[in-house]
Amino acid sequence: MEIVLGIESSCDETAAALVTGERVVLAQRIASQDEVHRPYGGVVPEIAARAHVERLSPIIAEVLAEAGMTLADLDAVAATAGPGLIGGVMVGLVTAKALAMASDKPLIAINHLEGHALSPRLADATLNFPYLLLLVSGGHCQLLVVEGVGRYRRLATTIDDAMGEAFDKSAKILGLGYPGGPALERLALEGDAKAVRLPRPLLGSEEPHFSFAGLKSAVMRAYQTGEHKHADIAAAFQQAAIDCVIDRTSCALASAGQVTALVVAGGVAANMAVRSALETLAAAHGLRFVAPPLALCTDNAAMIGWAGIERLRMGQNDSLDIAPRPRWPLDESAEPVRGAGVKA
Ligand code: KG4
Ligand code: ZN
């Protein structure tokens, strides 16, 4: 059975994991940099890159030791090669190249988004292609038909902010600190979503694209009136964001063709209210709903190792001179979206 070392360093999590082809995570470590970036209210790329340098080698040594293995036991080394903050991606990819070269094992360069997209298959052996994937994280908000490993058809993306970004910015407005998504979800539990009226950008529009910038600005205005409880604003924001996501996903289902399941992945998939709304939507369409366990939603290396296994099984690996890609769309053929401010 295959064993792959996965490495993730594209944002503010330094992570390593050993994953088997039998879907077992033999060992994993995630060194979060939340504390390092908290004073700045967001991820500082240079500080992140330096923190990855300090932390990555020790945690790789730890996961190997925990599993009682050496590099010789591996079938491949898989690392995130983009998209993400270029300094961090370089640290992970260069480390993976060095390990692959030293142990004479194949290197597999993984698209971070593919890691998220295939992560539900690590947890669920019965999830088959094609499935409709809602990929919602701090940097991305997309609806994709996952047709196979490396085969992604993008149906929608955001024309401004990602969903996690909207959670983080709204949380910042409400003084919840960084990272704000989980804190906002907790505060929303104590609030009344109906107490504050907020817009639902693009609701009902013909194509399934997303927009969150206007919602975030409305949160700012609601906050500045000083008339609302913070918990009510949090609840109203979360409900508005969910209403948008459900409407947009429902729109995408109409053009997705035959799919085996509705699947959610990425950091925002850790949100219980989001999960439960999607579960209801899937049921209404007679579809299975699949969401990875919480630990697989936010950035981790197990999903990178698993994507490595999937690629290894397709007979794919990469040359040691492969370059990191700060931008790397899953569907390279997807057109830029009108209104997204993309320069010609
Ligand atoms: O996938 P991820 O760890 O990193 C990226 O690739 O972006 O996603 C992080 C994002 C952040 O914006 C974070 O606030 C959001 O996911 N997030 C949540 C929750 N947990 C993480 N948003 C809402 N509710 C949550 N429980
Ligand atoms: Zn991510």
Side-chain angles (χ1 to χ4, degrees), residues 111-277:
N111 182 318
H112 177 84
L113 301 174
E114 177 165 71
H116 280 302
L118 299 177
S119 66
R121 282 166 52 86
L122 168 55
D124 188 335
T126 66
L127 176 59
N128 293 320
F129 303 120
Y131 50 84
L132 180 66
L133 172 74
L134 171 68
L135 174 45
V136 274
S137 70
H140 298 273
C141 187
Q142 301 184 4
L143 281 155
L144 301 141
V145 179
V146 181
E147 295 172 338
V149 178
R151 289 167 48 216
Y152 307 94
R153 185 156 53 90
R154 196 192 77 189
L155 302 179
T157 188
T158 176
I159 64 168
D160 41 58
D161 294 349
M163 190 176 185
E165 191 178 355
F167 266 87
D168 292 338
K169 287 177 175 171
S170 299
K172 198 168 180 176
I173 292 167
L174 296 173
L176 297 176
Y178 168 86
L184 193 147
E185 180 181 13
R186 280 193 298 277
L187 184 61
L189 288 173
E190 299 160 21
D192 173 8
K194 296 203 181 73
V196 187
R197 283 187 56 186
L198 295 175
R200 270 95 175 128
L202 293 184
L203 202 82
S205 75
E206 218 165 275
E207 287 183 295
H209 298 304
F210 299 88
S211 168
F212 290 104
L215 175 56
K216 169 203 65 193
S217 306
V219 165
M220 175 63 101
R221 286 193 296 275
Y223 173 80
Q224 284 170 339
T225 63
E227 290 167 10
H228 304 289
K229 283 191 214 151
H230 291 184
D232 290 346
I233 299 177
F237 162 79
Q238 182 170 273
Q239 191 55 53
I242 288 173
D243 288 351
C244 292
V245 159
I246 295 304
D247 175 72
R248 311 289 61 220
T249 307
S250 171
C251 176
L253 277 169
S255 60
Q258 195 81 356
V259 289
T260 64
L262 172 61
V263 178
V264 66
V268 184
N271 183 294
M272 286 301 163
V274 171
R275 286 164 94 101
S276 105

Side-chain angles (χ1 to χ4, degrees), residues 2-10 13-21 24-31 52 55-64 67 69-71 73-81 88-89 91-97 99-100 103 105-112 115-116 122 296 299-312:
E2 311 96 325
I3 301 174
V4 170
L5 169 65
I7 295 174
E8 160 59 35
S9 59
S10 65
E13 249 85 42
T14 316
L18 284 169
V19 183
T20 77
V24 178
V25 180
L26 295 173
Q28 69 167 320
R29 290 282 185 285
I30 303 179
H52 288 303
R55 296 160 190 220
L56 186 54
S57 293
I59 67 170
I60 291 172
E62 281 171 37
V63 295
L64 285 169
M69 289 182 176
T70 68
L71 294 176
D73 298 307
L74 303 180
D75 291 283
V77 181
T80 296
V89 172
V91 172
L93 187 59
V94 165
T95 304
K97 285 178 181 181
L99 296 176
S103 60
K105 304 287 179 183
L107 168 77
I108 308 180
I110 300 294
N111 182 318
H112 177 84
H116 280 302
L122 168 55
L296 265 185
D299 286 348
N300 64 88
M303 69 181 191
I304 304 302
W306 174 253
I309 299 247
E310 298 247 36
R311 291 233 162 233
L312 198 62

